[in-house]
Amino acid sequence: MAAQFGRRLRKGATTTAVAAVAVAALSASGVPGATLVTDSGDQQSTGTTPPPDDSAATGNSPYYTDLPPLNTPNKPGTSTNLPVTGSAESGIPASILAAYKKAEQTLDDTDAACRLPWQLLAAIGKVESGQARGGRVDANGTTFSPILGPVLDGRGFAMIKDTDNGAYDGDSTHDRAVGPMQFIPSTWATWGQDGNGDGRKDPNNIYDAALAAGRYLCAGSRDLSLAADLDRAVLSYNHSDAYLRTVRSWFDYYNRGTHEIPDGTGTVPPGLGGGTDHSSGSPSPSPSPSEKPKPKPEPSPDPTKPGGGGSTSPTPPTTPPAQTLAGVENAGTGTLTATAGDAFAERIKVRARNSLGGPLAKVSVTFTIAGDTDAVFDGGKNAVTLRTGADGTVTAPVLKAGEKAGKFTVRATATGRSLPPVTYTATVTARQADAIARTDDKALTAAPGTEFADTVEVKATYKGALAAGVAVTATMITDAEEPAENDKGPYFKDADDKPVRTLTDLKTGADGTLKLPEIYADDNTGTYKLRLTTEGGATIVIELKVEAPEAPAA
């Protein structure tokens, strides 16, 4: 059994008494002092707390204080290719372990001077979230439900007002630490990474979070093979002596051996078994090995705390199947498509079902927009939480497309439950036009080497209505059966006044019109063609003439 000194520590609990508790617990566990194993030999912790040189990644929120077991894991000095037998605590879920090692390799390639060991990420991941609740992640490494720290409202913890409009933590008033590595949203905004190459930076994804943690720990010119730098890095995560000692003890433990276990089968610290929020009990040290603990009376179960709130684990009361949440499912949501700037016609709807397959009312469901998009729910939020009605269903607010075209994801999750989310793919298409025409019929002519006197203005429409914000491409083309960009004749100018014959990133205005930049003629005479093409396929070809002026009459 792992020695424990309380489930959680609160921010600010770094007094002499708490520090003494941490030292006593480490001594009781039989874990050696803070030792960093490197290729050049063992380096001891400095034993002092350097001043913080970064804002705490977690907002100095609580953390789990489970310590490694008394027995050492498998073969000393080996950390890979171990058999799947051995200490349960030394087993790290496969996806979690892979994420730590991938982050180490990435940092080795991009910041080799930092010398980040994956075992340090594993130690922090253990202390922050119990290795993502024992590896409860999907095939992409994303937690089935958010792992959220307590509300950072200044009551026992730091006061951090909302910085993400609730996008990551679902709280638009205060921030909360998020994900398996417990980043506060403001820190994630700076340090967030795409560790699994899916084009997203998601603090709930272990690959993204592990790489972000690695880069955060390597900030500045830190060399983590140096004990002082490693101490500073850990303290930048949570500035507490007890936190440093706890992370150091797991770091040493993992350095002496680990093995891979299936996702979802890892050891989960007390308080993380089935919820999203961390428990925040106050420290209570393990008894000294020389003392014989006094018998304790059987505690009364406290249904508000994991394990009944006592030192034993009484059998929880049985919940009737009709009141037990079994999962959430799609309640008939259709295809989610919208044009940029418009509202999605389809509304996302989910149903909560009980263990008998029937509807379950008053279930809290969180809808979260994820991916590289500027789409939002009505009201401008990226995440909203609502409750199911009497029929077990709940409908998300109207989804509004931004100006960015492409696909993104909306997840519907039973709030605070370790249940698979319902995932929807939404598509935003660019604004389109099915017709484009000139606003006048003036002849466009110029003498060689001069500027065309008249500008080109066009109007785009879609199904007869003005088409605002439609992308247009303008190209000077050859007069061939299959036209290509012309290399002579009329041209536009770029920012450096150099000739260009294709312009992109043009858009119609609010009235559907577009006025092109000035057009210039080179020294070649003749009749040339300018082609304008809209998003949606509408095309117009405009004639441009370059001719020498008539000689004055004799």
Side-chain angles (χ1 to χ4, degrees):
M1 293 292 293
Q4 300 178 18
F5 58 103
R7 291 190 185 129
R8 293 293 273 177
L9 293 180
R10 291 178 180 269
K11 176 187 178 290
T14 55
T15 62
T16 304
V18 173
V21 166
V23 174
L26 286 172
S27 300
S29 71
V31 177
T35 303
L36 174 59
V37 179
T38 68
D39 293 336
S40 58
D42 292 352
Q43 294 194 7
Q44 303 294 326
S45 170
T46 60
T48 59
T49 306
D53 55 4
D54 294 286
S55 298
T58 65
N60 286 339
S61 61
Y63 55 89
Y64 287 89
T65 58
D66 279 356
L67 295 174
L70 293 170
N71 59 307
T72 59
N74 292 301
K75 303 173 184 178
T78 60
S79 299
T80 57
N81 302 319
L82 292 174
V84 294
T85 58
S87 167
E89 283 287 10
S90 65
I92 299 179
S95 292
I96 313 304
L97 183 60
Y100 295 150
K101 291 184 177 180
K102 189 173 189 294
E104 178 193 59
Q105 183 59 56
T106 299
L107 267 296
D108 189 52
D109 293 339
T110 60
D111 189 5
C114 176
R115 302 182 188 179
L116 171 77
W118 67 258
Q119 291 89 343
L120 180 58
L121 295 176
I124 290 175
K126 177 68 175 180
V127 171
E128 292 293 346
S129 70
Q131 310 298 20
R133 292 200 202 98
R136 296 181 188 179
V137 297
D138 63 20
N140 295 318
T142 302
T143 57
F144 289 122
S145 61
I147 301 175
L148 300 176
V151 177
L152 298 176
D153 57 4
R155 290 182 290 184
F157 311 113
M159 161 66 83
I160 302 180
K161 293 185 177 180
D162 176 63
T163 60
D164 66 331
N165 200 26
Y168 293 121
D169 54 17
D171 190 329
S172 58
T173 304
H174 295 93
D175 272 346
R176 304 175 71 174
V178 180
M181 302 304 278
Q182 288 290 278
F183 278 93
I184 55 174
S186 57
T187 307
W188 183 259
T190 301
W191 293 94
Q193 300 290 316
D194 177 14
N196 61 353
D198 65 355
R200 299 171 48 223
K201 298 177 181 179
D202 184 358
N204 297 298
N205 182 278
I206 185 59
Y207 290 93
D208 296 358
L211 182 57
R215 294 204 184 283
Y216 184 89
L217 293 166
C218 288
S221 57
R222 289 179 187 144
D223 178 353
L224 299 184
S225 68
L226 302 176
D229 277 4
L230 187 138
D231 285 355
R232 290 190 184 93
V234 173
L235 288 166
S236 73
Y237 230 86
N238 192 318
H239 198 70
S240 156
D241 284 332
Y243 181 80
L244 173 62
R245 293 188 182 98
T246 306
V247 169
R248 276 272 195 175
S249 68
W250 281 106
F251 176 64
D252 178 75
Y253 182 74
Y254 287 139
N255 264 304
R256 287 181 282 122
T258 61
H259 61 279
E260 179 184 298
I261 58 175
D263 288 348
T265 63
T267 303
V268 186
L272 263 186
T276 59
D277 293 346
H278 291 326
S279 170
S280 56
S282 53
S284 64
S286 298
S288 169
S290 61
E291 298 175 359
K292 186 175 182 180
K294 297 179 181 179
K296 293 184 179 179
E298 186 74 14
S300 299
D302 182 352
T304 67
K305 296 183 179 180
S311 59
T312 61
S313 298
T315 303
T318 302
T319 303
Q323 299 176 21
T324 301
L325 177 64
V328 291
E329 59 190 10
N330 186 359
T333 306
T335 303
L336 295 169
T337 58
T339 301
D342 292 344
F344 284 77
E346 188 73 16
R347 298 274 294 276
I348 296 173
K349 186 177 182 180
V350 299
R351 178 186 296 106
R353 66 180 188 278
N354 59 28
S355 296
L356 300 176
L360 189 60
K362 297 183 179 180
V363 173
S364 177
V365 176
T366 298
F367 298 90
T368 305
I369 297 172
D372 189 10
T373 181
D374 52 356
V376 294
F377 290 115
D378 192 17
K381 294 192 174 185
N382 300 98
V384 292
T385 300
L386 302 169
R387 288 184 177 273
T388 58
D391 63 351
T393 67
V394 61
T395 303
V398 172
L399 188 59
K400 294 185 175 181
E403 292 301 322
K404 190 164 191 172
K407 295 182 183 294
F408 63 94
T409 298
V410 180
R411 294 195 194 97
T413 307
T415 311
R417 307 296 183 92
S418 298
L419 294 170
V422 184
T423 302
Y424 303 87
T425 298
T427 304
V428 177
T429 58
R431 297 172 186 261
Q432 297 185 351
D434 54 16
I436 184 170
R438 289 188 64 189
T439 58
D440 61 49
D441 56 1
K442 293 180 181 179
L444 299 168
T445 62
T450 66
E451 179 181 340
F452 281 78
D454 294 306
T455 57
V456 176
E457 185 178 67
V458 295
K459 179 180 292 186
T461 57
Y462 182 68
K463 295 182 179 180
L466 295 175
V470 175
V472 179
T473 299
T475 306
M476 303 294 180
I477 59 173
T478 59
D479 194 15
E481 187 173 340
E482 294 185 5
E485 183 182 271
N486 212 333
D487 60 358
K488 62 181 179 179
Y491 61 90
F492 303 103
K493 286 184 179 181
D494 64 13
D496 298 323
D497 277 346
K498 294 182 179 179
V500 292
R501 291 186 167 85
T502 296
L503 293 179
T504 57
D505 297 330
L506 300 171
K507 284 191 175 182
T508 59
D511 60 354
T513 64
L514 168 66
K515 184 176 289 187
L516 295 185
E518 291 82 1
I519 301 175
Y520 302 86
D522 62 9
D523 295 332
N524 296 287
T525 60
T527 300
Y528 298 90
K529 292 182 178 179
L530 166 63
R531 182 181 65 197
L532 302 181
T533 305
T534 71
E535 187 73 40
T539 300
I540 184 174
V541 176
I542 300 171
E543 190 175 87
L544 303 172
K545 287 187 177 180
V546 180
E547 52 189 13
E550 294 182 5

